[in-house]
Amino acid sequence: MVRSALDIPWRQSLAPVLAGGTTSIPLRLENLENHPINVSFYSSDLLSDGGGSIPSFAISFDPTTLDIGACHQAVVTAKVDVPTQAVPGAYSGLVQAVGLSGVKAVITVEIR
């Protein structure tokens, strides 16, 4: 089992980013099982209240797969490459773990 709150956690970039820029959001996981697990991640498109979007292919993860030892924690970083045509606003989407149901987080990137 991987620890996750009953409510979906929300993480945002530390500072606003300009269109055409890049930002990163660290996400921490904890393996509560007594055996190691292998996890990979994917994201939905990030959407703004104004109807803008950052496509999911502009979001990558480092590392792309993550091995978490038994009873250990690890961090994966979501990297968002903001398109040059993105308009200012807050863009949010859902990150999910492949193969681990229930492991999700909402991420938000603010574009100035």
Side-chain angles (χ1 to χ4, degrees):
M1 174 176 196
V2 173
R3 179 180 290 171
S4 64
L6 292 177
D7 296 322
I8 295 176
W10 174 56
R11 302 291 181 259
Q12 61 185 358
S13 54
L14 294 176
V17 63
L18 297 174
T22 299
T23 190
S24 296
I25 302 170
L27 304 167
R28 180 175 303 280
L29 293 161
E30 183 175 6
N31 179 6
L32 299 177
E33 297 291 336
N34 61 0
H35 57 83
I37 59 171
N38 180 272
V39 185
S40 59
F41 302 88
Y42 66 98
S43 176
S44 67
D45 293 348
L46 305 184
L47 305 175
S48 74
D49 290 338
S53 69
I54 297 173
S56 61
F57 64 78
I59 301 147
S60 59
F61 297 92
D62 183 29
T64 55
T65 61
L66 186 59
D67 292 315
I68 307 173
C71 302
H72 283 83
Q73 295 183 358
V75 175
V76 63
T77 301
K79 177 184 164 200
V80 181
D81 295 321
V82 179
T84 56
Q85 73 276 14
V87 297
Y91 291 72
S92 297
L94 187 67
V95 171
Q96 297 188 69
V98 173
L100 293 173
S101 62
V103 178
K104 299 172 175 50
V106 173
I107 60 171
T108 298
V109 173
E110 184 165 344
I111 300 173
R112 298 250 167 147

